Every structure is written in structure tokens, then in C-alpha cells.
């Protein structure tokens, strides 16, 4: 099973600042990597797929990069609505697609 | 656009079978894979399994012995059964459209395992 490791566990950022979230795979997942945002009491929302393609309706301040085992989600200028938990997920290697444990982005 | 809605009992007794249904509206269940994903309180996301509209399935190896996912294309629904539940199966259960990634999710339903 591919293990996805996200860092940091918690990221404290001021509104308007840049946030950089990392996700590492225990073996290569090519570019088959997605990012999700989850707010309390809500289902996750797809932000990025294919490591760098924004999903429909996702603002341009969200960007994804990386391939193989190292991936990054960047939020260029944090808005109040961006404070949430973010998950990465690989969909390259079987058995079973796997998620990271999440990074919580909180207000500094 | 496609919407998903989970339904089923919110409380299940230990050792019994958890049963949930996901209804797909605004589109056809055909030509896609459909997954169940769960999230224990305060924890991360765990994929449970998927089903193709034709009926082929694949399950998380850690749950495989207890999971059955089925589809009813006439009702545009797919269902989850998880047997021999324990408190560790308490979670929010989501259904989602599976394209490798999950672009469409239900709102989730909370299932508590307790006597």
C-alpha cells in the first residue's frame, strides 16, 4: 500500500500570506495525485487533480505541483474561506487509492 | 449537475450489519465508478471500495472480508453493506464518483455503532 505523508500537520498563516503544503508518497505515483479541501461538517471538495490541474470553479490562487513522490499545494494569498484541512490522495498504485493524514491551515 | 445523497440508519448495534444507499441524481450512474469513503470522528479519510455500473467491484484489503457493494442501475443507486461492525466503524460515510480522484461527493451520513 502506498503511504501518503503530509507536512506539516498544522500550518499557521496570516490572511493574505502564502501557504505551502507538502505531500510525499512512499513510492512513485507519477502525476496521479489529487488535493482536497475540507471544512468542518462538510464533505471534501476537489481542488486539484493530475497533480496540477485545477478542478472546475477552483480559484487561481490554488496551484499544485510535483510528480513522482513529492508534491506541493500552494495557496498564493490566503483568504478567510481557505482556513480548512487539506488532504492529498494518490490514485496511481493499487491496492486502493490512499489519502494523506491531512494538513490543517489555521489563522495565525 | 450530478448530486449524491447517502441514506440509511444512523445507529447500528455492534456485530450487526451497516447498510447505506447512495442515490445519484442529475445524471446517470452508467459509465462511471462509484466509491464509498469513510471518516472516523476527528480522523482522516479511508477508501472502502468501489463499484462500476456493470457491477464489478474492488474493496480495501483491510475491510474486504466484511464489505459488499452493489448497484441498482434502474434506481440510479448503489449500496454498501459492512458486516460485524464494532465501535471502530463509527464514522461519517460518504459516497463519491470515482474517477481515480473524487470530483463529486455526497454530503455524508454519520453512522454510530453502539448498543
Amino acid at each position: 500500500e502506498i503511504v501518503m505523508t503530509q507536512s506539516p500537520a498544522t500550518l499557521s498563516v496570516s490572511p493574505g500570506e502564502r501557504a505551502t503544503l507538502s505531500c510525499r508518497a512512499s513510492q512513485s505515483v507519477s502525476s496521479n495525485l489529487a488535493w482536497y479541501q475540507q471544512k468542518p461538517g462538510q464533505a471534501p471538495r476537489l481542488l486539484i487533480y493530475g497533480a496540477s490541474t485545477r478542478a472546475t470553479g477552483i480559484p487561481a490562487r490554488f496551484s499544485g505541483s510535483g510528480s513522482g513522490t513529492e508534491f506541493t499545494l500552494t495557496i498564493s494569498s490566503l483568504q478567510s474561506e481557505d482556513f480548512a484541512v487539506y488532504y492529498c490522495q494518490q490514485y496511481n498504485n493499487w491496492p486502493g487509492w490512499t489519502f494523506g493524514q491531512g494538513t490543517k491551515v489555521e489563522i495565525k | 449537475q450530478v448530486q449524491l445523497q447517502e441514506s440509511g440508519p444512523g445507529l447500528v448495534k455492534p456485530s450487526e450489519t451497516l447498510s447505506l444507499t447512495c442515490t445519484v441524481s442529475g445524471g446517470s450512474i452508467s459509465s462511471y465508478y462509484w466509491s464509498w469513503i469513510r471518516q472516523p470522528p476527528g480522523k482522516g479519510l479511508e477508501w472502502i471500495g468501489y463499484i462500476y455500473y456493470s457491477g464489478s467491484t474492488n474493496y480495501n484489503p483491510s475491510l474486504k472480508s466484511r464489505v459488499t457493494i452493489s448497484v441498482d442501475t434502474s434506481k440510479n443507486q448503489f449500496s454498501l453493506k459492512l458486516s460485524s461492525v464494532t465501535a471502530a466503524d463509527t464514522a461519517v460515510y460518504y459516497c463519491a464518483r470515482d474517477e481515480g480522484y473524487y470530483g463529486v461527493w455526497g454530503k455524508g451520513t454519520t453512522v454510530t455503532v453502539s448498543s
Side-chain angles (χ1 to χ4, degrees):
Chain A
E1 176 183 294
I2 302 290
V3 177
M4 308 301 292
T5 302
Q6 293 185 240
S7 61
T10 303
L11 186 61
S12 298
V13 186
S14 299
E17 289 188 340
R18 173 188 293 258
T20 302
L21 289 66
S22 295
C23 176
R24 174 177 292 178
S26 59
Q27 57 185 275
S28 177
V29 298
S30 186
S31 293
N32 295 312
L33 190 285
W35 290 96
Y36 302 86
Q37 176 193 68
Q38 188 177 34
K39 297 179 180 179
Q42 296 184 15
R45 176 174 71 144
L46 177 68
L47 299 175
I48 301 283
Y49 62 93
S52 61
T53 302
R54 275 190 303 276
T56 303
I58 301 303
R61 65 180 181 273
F62 291 91
S63 63
S65 63
S67 66
T69 62
E70 301 283 344
F71 300 88
T72 300
L73 174 70
T74 301
I75 311 171
S76 60
S77 176
L78 271 158
Q79 307 298 303
S80 58
E81 62 267 29
D82 300 335
F83 293 96
V85 179
Y86 292 82
Y87 293 95
C88 63
Q89 176 234 336
Q90 69 84 17
Y91 52 99
N92 189 74
N93 292 45
W94 211 250
W97 312 143
T98 48
F99 293 88
Q101 81 281 16
T103 291
K104 181 180 181 180
V105 177
E106 64 177 23
I107 301 174
K108 187 174 182 179
Chain B
Q1 69 278 22
V2 175
Q3 294 184 315
L4 307 182
Q5 178 67 58
E6 304 89 350
S7 59
L11 180 64
V12 181
K13 290 182 168 55
S15 80
E16 295 190 345
T17 296
L18 177 161
S19 296
L20 297 174
T21 296
C22 182
T23 300
V24 180
S25 60
S28 174
I29 201 168
S30 299
S31 302
Y32 282 102
Y33 290 84
W34 304 90
S35 274
W36 287 98
I37 296 160
R38 69 180 183 179
Q39 185 171 35
K43 296 188 177 180
L45 300 160
E46 180 182 35
W47 172 76
I48 299 170
Y50 73 60
I51 190 163
Y52 193 45
Y53 77 99
S54 63
S56 63
T57 56
N58 217 323
Y59 303 135
N60 187 321
S62 68
L63 299 169
K64 188 174 183 177
S65 63
R66 299 194 291 131
V67 173
T68 303
I69 299 177
S70 58
V71 65
D72 186 338
T73 55
S74 68
K75 294 182 179 179
N76 241 26
Q77 294 177 335
F78 62 105
S79 298
L80 168 70
K81 290 189 185 299
L82 181 65
S83 64
S84 305
V85 298
T86 70
D89 295 310
T90 292
V92 176
Y93 285 76
Y94 296 100
C95 56
R97 191 171 74 184
D98 189 334
E99 299 170 82
Y101 53 87
Y102 305 103
V104 182
W105 295 69
K107 292 184 178 181
T109 188
T110 299
V111 178
T112 302
V113 178
S114 175
S115 55

